[in-house]
Amino acid sequence: MSSTTEKKSKSEYSPSIWSHIQFEHLAAGLSGGVVSSFVLHPLDLIKVRFQVDEGPNHDVVKRPAYNGITHALRSIVQTDGWRGLYRGVTPNVTGAGLSWGLYFFAYNATKRWMQDGDSNKDLGAGNHMLIASMAGLFTLTLTNPIWVSKTRMCLHYDTPGKVHFVSMREILWRVYKLEGVRGLYKGYVPSLFGISHGALQFMAYEEMKNGYNRYKNQPLDTRLTSVEYLLFAATSKMFAATFTYPYQVVRSRLQDQHRHYNGAIDVVKQIWRFEGWRGYYKGLAPNLLRVTPACAITFVVYESIISRLHGWKKAKEEKKES
């Protein structure tokens, strides 16, 4: 009898990770990713074009020349109209929505599992980085083909003789037909290094929230205001984006349909040889202008939806009890 009770209590204490899955995190993350990526897509387009620009002395591909962010915006509008600023928006919105949704979904399920269901248990910076890395690997593996299509659509220059990709589905099919599964996973290896981006960002975000709650002498799972979430999200994103940016340049160049490299190491070597260390940070300015408000919007939308859903759930439970 005692052994049965002991086994039962042990199983209750260490439930499966599946029992901690909450689909509201998927919905909230997806909503935040879609809103932020759509609003700020023009800056993402410019960032990608800056990243693949090898400079006048080495660029073997004829590309539009831009003298800064403002000039790039004007040039694209003059060439392609206002719609040109949203070239590649479909895979970007799809990829961002799915990425944020799946990331928050996996992150929170793993976090709740490690906390044994106690939302006030402080896991520490190391565990937060581990959870974020696991969520990042899961998300990247599922969404990499979408990012390949987004990069290639952003790098279509309306040049005579070039293939025109009219939709995300068409570009994915063409990549698969011409390059196989390997083509859909171009840039995957440098993106693995990019998992550290999410790990650093979520670690910083969680630690700032926890430190703030401790400073205010309130439980760690206290729901904060939108302004507080905005501040923590923007700060953590700027920290992570600046620290890990070079992998994005390497990834974009590998995914560029106009250029061929012999792997990520070849990209790294050629950037260093022809462009120096500054080459690894091409497009950083439009990237920070985009990702900082994008992350802030995503997190605020996400946290707002979660707060509202928790409020509805709590009201429903109270109504049942009464």
Side-chain angles (χ1 to χ4, degrees):
M1 180 77 175
S2 60
S3 61
T4 305
T5 307
E6 186 179 340
K7 285 181 182 178
K8 185 178 179 182
S9 61
K10 190 174 182 180
S11 66
E12 287 176 351
Y13 179 75
S14 302
S16 164
I17 190 172
W18 302 108
S19 64
H20 294 292
I21 286 178
Q22 295 180 322
F23 286 100
E24 56 259 43
H25 293 288
L26 176 64
L30 193 150
S31 301
V34 166
V35 171
S36 62
S37 61
F38 182 80
V39 171
L40 297 161
H41 179 78
L43 287 171
D44 200 20
L45 172 72
I46 294 170
K47 177 205 74 173
V48 172
R49 293 193 175 186
F50 281 4
Q51 286 176 339
V52 299
D53 180 14
E54 297 167 289
N57 298 324
H58 183 63
D59 200 334
V60 296
V61 179
K62 189 175 180 181
R63 307 179 192 272
Y66 303 124
N67 299 318
I69 298 172
T70 304
H71 180 248
L73 289 169
R74 288 176 181 169
S75 298
I76 292 171
V77 172
Q78 287 174 359
T79 304
D80 303 330
W82 289 100
R83 290 182 64 185
L85 294 175
Y86 278 86
R87 190 185 295 276
V89 70
T90 301
N92 194 26
V93 168
T94 305
L98 283 175
S99 293
W100 280 112
L102 291 169
Y103 200 100
F104 278 117
F105 174 72
Y107 181 88
N108 283 281
T110 308
K111 178 183 173 182
R112 283 173 58 83
W113 176 62
M114 292 184 71
Q115 289 177 320
D116 294 321
D118 180 8
S119 57
N120 281 303
K121 183 178 180 180
D122 189 358
L123 296 175
N127 280 324
H128 285 141
M129 288 190 71
L130 175 63
I131 297 167
S133 297
M134 293 167 64
L137 180 61
F138 169 72
T139 302
L140 170 64
T141 303
L142 292 179
T143 61
N144 196 82
I146 298 174
W147 297 123
V148 172
S149 68
K150 172 235 172 177
T151 298
R152 297 198 176 187
M153 289 178 78
C154 286
L155 296 177
H156 177 73
Y157 303 119
D158 283 338
T159 306
K162 296 293 182 183
V163 177
H164 177 59
F165 297 111
V166 296
S167 68
M168 183 177 75
R169 185 179 0 176
E170 181 181 343
I171 192 171
L172 286 171
W173 169 246
R174 286 182 178 272
V175 170
Y176 175 72
K177 189 177 179 180
L178 298 174
E179 304 172 52
V181 175
R182 291 185 66 180
L184 295 173
Y185 278 86
K186 279 191 172 180
Y188 183 80
V189 173
S191 292
L192 288 175
F193 292 98
I195 290 174
S196 62
H197 177 109
L200 289 170
Q201 179 189 339
F202 270 70
M203 178 273 293
Y205 182 70
E206 294 281 10
E207 290 302 304
M208 282 192 289
K209 281 199 307 179
N210 290 347
Y212 180 75
N213 282 325
R214 281 193 292 267
Y215 172 75
K216 300 279 283 185
N217 292 317
Q218 55 194 22
L220 297 182
D221 61 351
T222 302
R223 306 304 300 173
L224 305 178
T225 66
S226 294
V227 174
E228 290 164 337
Y229 284 129
L230 187 72
L231 177 62
F232 296 145
T235 304
S236 63
K237 189 65 176 181
M238 288 185 69
F239 162 68
T242 303
F243 196 80
T244 64
Y245 185 75
Y247 93 88
Q248 294 189 41
V249 175
V250 176
R251 181 184 63 184
S252 290
R253 296 198 181 190
L254 283 173
Q255 293 174 346
D256 180 7
Q257 69 267 38
H258 304 291
R259 192 76 164 83
H260 176 72
Y261 294 96
N262 296 317
I265 294 176
D266 183 37
V267 179
V268 172
K269 286 181 178 178
Q270 290 207 38
I271 291 175
W272 180 258
R273 180 182 176 187
F274 295 103
E275 303 165 64
W277 68 269
R278 293 178 184 273
Y280 298 115
Y281 287 90
K282 282 189 172 180
L284 178 61
N287 183 62
L288 288 177
L289 282 174
R290 182 191 68 84
V291 299
T292 304
C295 178
I297 292 169
T298 300
F299 273 73
V300 168
V301 171
Y302 166 80
E303 297 287 3
S304 298
I305 292 176
I306 290 297
S307 294
R308 183 159 294 185
L309 289 174
H310 282 182
W312 286 345
K313 190 181 290 185
K314 189 176 179 181
K316 196 174 180 181
E317 289 173 355
E318 290 175 351
K319 191 175 182 180
K320 278 184 179 180
E321 290 176 0
S322 61

